[in-house]
């Protein structure tokens, strides 16, 4: 965890945590990845998960997103088990995995309309604005299988620019395939989400230059089983 001004930390720690992991343990392929992991995230927090390959970074994010179940421990959202573990869409959660997760035969606009409907359906104007904010102006009606890898990544990330009630963003390697300008823009957008009371959890080998004031790092290597 990076040092922060004591006054800021004291004030922030007085805010109740909304997302908690308690004594979390994870297993993949009969191999225990980590154990006894505890974390607390409050509005405004940005958590970057690091660790060596195979330490369970993606698995931790999938646990927090409800895509996996822990072998031990629990995850709590506002002191209760999160509803996304019951198979219902969680409008307060936005998950973007390592793969772009878009359909190649659909246009950028069609993909974003479909993905955005998982939260609050957005208007055509809002979708076009989100695509422009993500650096895809002029590519709205282009099938995604005709776009470069970086552009396809931007289509997926354009969800972050839609009007949405999602407070918790869980992002697995979000900077993949982005150029230097795209990385800087995304860093600023993530920090802005935190400044508005949102929470960001991400994995990345990239060292962020623009961070939320309450930025933390979690090294999974310290929790190796």
């Amino acid at each position: 965890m990076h040092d922060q001004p004591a006054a800021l930390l004291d004030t922030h720690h007085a805010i109740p945590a909304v997302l908690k992991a308690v004594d979390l343990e994870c297993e993949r392929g009969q191999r225990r990845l980590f154990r006894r992991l505890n974390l607390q995230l409050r509005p405004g927090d940005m958590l970057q998960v690091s660790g060596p390959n195979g330490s369970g970074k993606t698995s931790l994010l999938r646990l927090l997103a409800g895509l996996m179940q822990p072998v031990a421990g629990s995850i709590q959202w506002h002191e209760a088990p999160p509803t996304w573990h019951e198979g219902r869409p969680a409008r307060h959660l936005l998950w973007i995995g390592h793969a772009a997760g878009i359909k190649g035969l659909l246009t950028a606009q069609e993909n974003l309309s479909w993905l955005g409907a998982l939260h609050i359906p957005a208007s055509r104007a809002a979708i076009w604005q989100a695509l422009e904010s993500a650096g895809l102006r002029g590519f709205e009606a282009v099938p995604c299988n005709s776009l470069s890898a970086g552009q396809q990544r931007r289509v997926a990330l354009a969800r972050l620019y839609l009007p949405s009630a999602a407070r918790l963003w869980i992002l697995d390697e979000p900077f993949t395939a982005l150029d230097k300008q795209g990385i800087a823009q995304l860093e600023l957008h993530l920090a802005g989400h935190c400044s508005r009371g949102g929470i960001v959890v991400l994995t990345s080998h990239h060292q962020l230059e623009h961070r939320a004031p309450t930025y933390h790092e979690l090294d999974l290597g310290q929790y190796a089983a």
Side-chain angles (χ1 to χ4, degrees):
M1 174 177 168
H2 286 260
D3 293 336
Q4 301 289 349
L8 172 61
L9 286 177
D10 289 345
T11 301
H12 188 66
H13 286 165
I15 301 172
V18 296
L19 179 64
K20 297 180 182 179
V22 181
D23 292 331
L24 209 60
E25 296 191 20
C26 177
E27 184 178 282
R28 292 296 300 274
Q30 299 183 337
R31 185 172 73 90
R32 193 67 54 93
L33 298 179
F34 55 79
R35 60 190 304 179
R36 298 194 182 99
L37 188 150
N38 294 276
L39 63 84
Q40 297 188 19
L41 295 175
R42 298 169 172 81
D45 275 342
M46 177 183 288
L47 177 68
Q48 182 171 359
V49 181
S50 61
N53 291 339
S55 59
K57 298 185 292 295
T58 294
S59 294
L60 174 58
L61 265 59
R62 291 177 63 86
L63 287 170
L64 296 176
L67 301 175
M68 289 173 52
Q69 294 293 323
V71 295
S74 64
I75 298 170
Q76 301 173 3
W77 175 258
H78 287 287
E79 304 293 340
T83 57
W84 61 82
H85 284 278
E86 300 171 8
R88 298 195 298 270
R91 292 195 172 183
H92 46 261
L93 166 68
L94 194 157
W95 156 266
I96 299 179
H98 186 267
I102 59 177
K103 297 183 180 295
L105 294 179
L106 299 182
T107 65
Q109 177 188 333
E110 290 168 341
N111 266 288
L112 197 54
S113 176
W114 169 64
L115 291 168
L118 297 173
H119 295 279
I120 299 174
S123 67
R124 183 176 182 272
I127 290 171
W128 278 52
Q129 180 58 56
L131 290 170
E132 180 175 352
S133 298
L136 290 167
R137 184 176 182 179
F139 293 92
E140 298 88 352
V142 176
C144 286
N145 56 13
S146 299
L147 300 177
S148 69
Q151 289 171 324
Q152 291 182 21
R153 192 63 180 173
R154 287 173 184 265
V155 173
L157 293 170
R159 295 173 63 192
L160 302 176
Y161 296 89
L162 287 173
S164 171
R167 295 174 54 197
L168 172 61
W169 293 356
I170 300 180
L171 314 173
D172 192 7
E173 296 289 347
F175 303 103
T176 298
L178 294 181
D179 57 20
K180 185 175 181 180
Q181 181 180 357
I183 289 173
Q185 178 186 3
L186 180 56
E187 285 186 1
L188 289 170
H189 189 59
L190 298 182
H193 179 66
C194 293
S195 72
R196 296 185 290 274
I199 298 172
V200 174
V201 182
L202 74 153
T203 62
S204 180
H205 297 290
H206 167 72
Q207 292 297 315
L208 277 67
E209 295 186 10
H210 305 285
R211 304 167 174 171
T214 49
Y215 166 89
H216 313 281
E217 288 186 12
L218 174 66
D219 182 1
L220 277 184
Q222 299 178 1
Y223 297 89

